[in-house]
Amino acid sequence: MKKEVSRRKFLKYMGATALTAGSLGATSKALGQAKPIPKDPIKIAAVSFLTGAAAAPFGIPGDNTYKMCADKINAEGGILGRKIDLQSKDEAGGVDAQVKLCRKLILEDKVDVVLGYISSASCLAVLPLADELGGLIVAYDCGTHELMEGAKSPYDVPKFKLGFRSKAHLGIDNIALALYIKKNYPKINKIAGINQDYAWGRDSWLIFETAMKKLMPQVQMVKTLWPPLGNTDFTAHISALMGSEPDIVHSSLWGGDAVTFSKQALGMGFFKKIRMAYSRGEPYPQEVGKDYPEGQIICCAGTHYFLYTPKDKASADLQKWFVGEYQKRYGKYPSYPCYHAFQAIFAYKHSVEKAAKAVGGWPTIEEIAKAMTGITFPTPSGMLTIREDHNGIEDCLVGITKLTPKYPFPILDKMEIFPAAQVNAPIGMKTVDWINSWK
Amino acid sequence: MWIIYTLNGLYFAALLFLISLGLNIILGVMGILNLAHGSLYAIGAFIAAWIIITLGTQVPPFFLYVSLLSGLVGVGIVGFLMEKSLIRFMYKRTLEYQLLLTFGALMLLEDVIKMIWGGQAYYASAPFELLGKVDIFGNVYPAYFLFVMFIALIAGLLIWLFMSKTKLGIMLRAISLDREMATGLGLDITGLSTFAFVLGAGLAGLAGALVVPTTPALLGFGHEPLIFGFIVVVVGGLGSLKGALVGSLLVGFTRSFGIAVFPEIELPLLFLIAGIILVVKPEGLFGR
């Protein structure tokens, strides 16, 4: 007797078949999506100032570090077996030139990632291109707190889906300085400021002044000076500061300006009466040498200091390699831009590896961006986290210059580390609003 | 403190005087508005820095100070080459051509600096540090700044003597007063123009060399002095030694006291003064 298949049974079988087919289809689709790992090298564009005032203090050390790190990664087998093809590019030429260059890198050269930018103006102009062009951009050294912050608190994050900054913004330097001053010089009455007359200087002073007013409301701001970028004669500024008799002078001067100011101030007896507090002064004692004045408060733009040992072993081992290798290659101790370059290139490496694990193959740009959001990894200056707002947060180290027989320049004494939570605003809150909300 | 503010003003004025004097000679004698003047100043700084760093501590300090003259000589040679190869073709052209050409020369010289010295900073502070500090009514002041003022004073006096007492100087003045008449009188305009350009360029180079012990030589080093140099020329007047002196002092003191008293508007104030002078006395305070 021919066994009749009932309608109910038929539908059941059909359903099961469909489910099996569906799941098989899904599996094969997933397997199809798991792109094989390409054989060709990963194109990484590293954009730093290779010429101009910012080249010597930041751009060249940063670029050196990219090369050193790419060599390390390649020697260890690359990223998922793919070697890095590093392309150094110059950040000089202004914002328009950088926008053009970035478009070319993403659209024509089809680089896998753009790591770069020292100037805040470059970052502000270029980061929006990430989402517009569908390219991954990781800002590595620029400081402005406005880059990832919205117009008012609370703001939505992330501001850019494919744009990141693998370091903390200038808020940490200036908040840490204010905290250090409050703790170590509680009796001071007068503070002055000398900052360059553009976004970097203005933003740095804004954060520092806001934090100081909150932490030490009794302190008077007696003078604020705004020399132009690239100023070669600071004598008038030095005298004006001395004339206003502050206890401490805040400064975010960088590069040649920082060195010129120090040397001229030294010649005018400035440091006998006044103490400087530099928000990013870390490179300059090494730059100036033994004549760099002692007793100056210096912030390291994070915990980026060659004599700092991170708490976790992985980071401490990296720091040992980093300082030794950089010194061997370039004859100097690494300065903070070097640490920033390490963070950017390794943020990419760790994110690709994390994303690859999740998707089972070479990830898309979107998948890498997803993996980079919230990632934590070891760096020579400690564990680094890139938050959901696509901005790195870091602890911050402040110390005081002191000459020792061991080094031909003053090193930092009385070092204090301010934890990331103490110097970074919470996600979605503007830094200035956060400081103003302190109790 | 006021005496230090005054000295700061004098120091800045001394440098500006050398820069604007060169700018003025080139403008007055040759009628060329040299936008590359700041680059010549920068080349002076790089040459001097390079020599000071090379000499290091192996030579007696006296030679370090003599080496500052390398800015004058070296940039004089650059000026000679520049005049012979570029500038001489511009004498009969209108101002727009000169501006285009000298702006092109500015870009070219920046690249030459980049090719020769690279992108890094050159620190050559030995002459600044060796002279130490002096006590001026209880205020510490670097002796090197006084040295710069002294050199600028000597240079100013020499140029004044040269322009008013020597035949060559008088011929240069004649050209600046009336080029056609000077040609008609049979003066060697070509040779004298080359000389004026070399002298003007050399003065810019000397200023660059004098400033480099106080600040590192970097790419883009000549931009700020060019702007201030033009303010001095606008304020003091074209082709006038007295104008260069008074203009430099006015800018130097406005800047020094401005930073001490009203730092927020110190720079706009300088441009405002230049603007008012342009409107009220377009030829400048001592211009013709």
Side-chain angles (χ1 to χ4, degrees), chain B residues 168-181:
Chain B
L168 192 58
I170 291 165
M171 286 196 286
L172 286 176
R173 279 168 54 212
I175 299 173
S176 79
L177 283 170
D178 193 330
R179 198 177 178 92
E180 279 183 24
M181 183 61 85

Side-chain angles (χ1 to χ4, degrees), chain A residues 16-28:
Chain A
T17 315
L19 265 178
T20 314
S23 62
L24 274 174
T27 313
S28 63

Side-chain angles (χ1 to χ4, degrees), chain A residues 32 37 51 53 70 73 90 98 130 144 173 177 193 206-207 211 229 321-322 368 379 403 425:
Chain A
I37 292 166
T51 54
I73 294 169
D90 195 350
Q98 286 315 309
T144 178
D173 319 344
L177 272 186
L206 170 73
I207 304 278
L229 182 64
W321 166 79
F322 192 66
I368 298 170
T379 78
L403 260 177

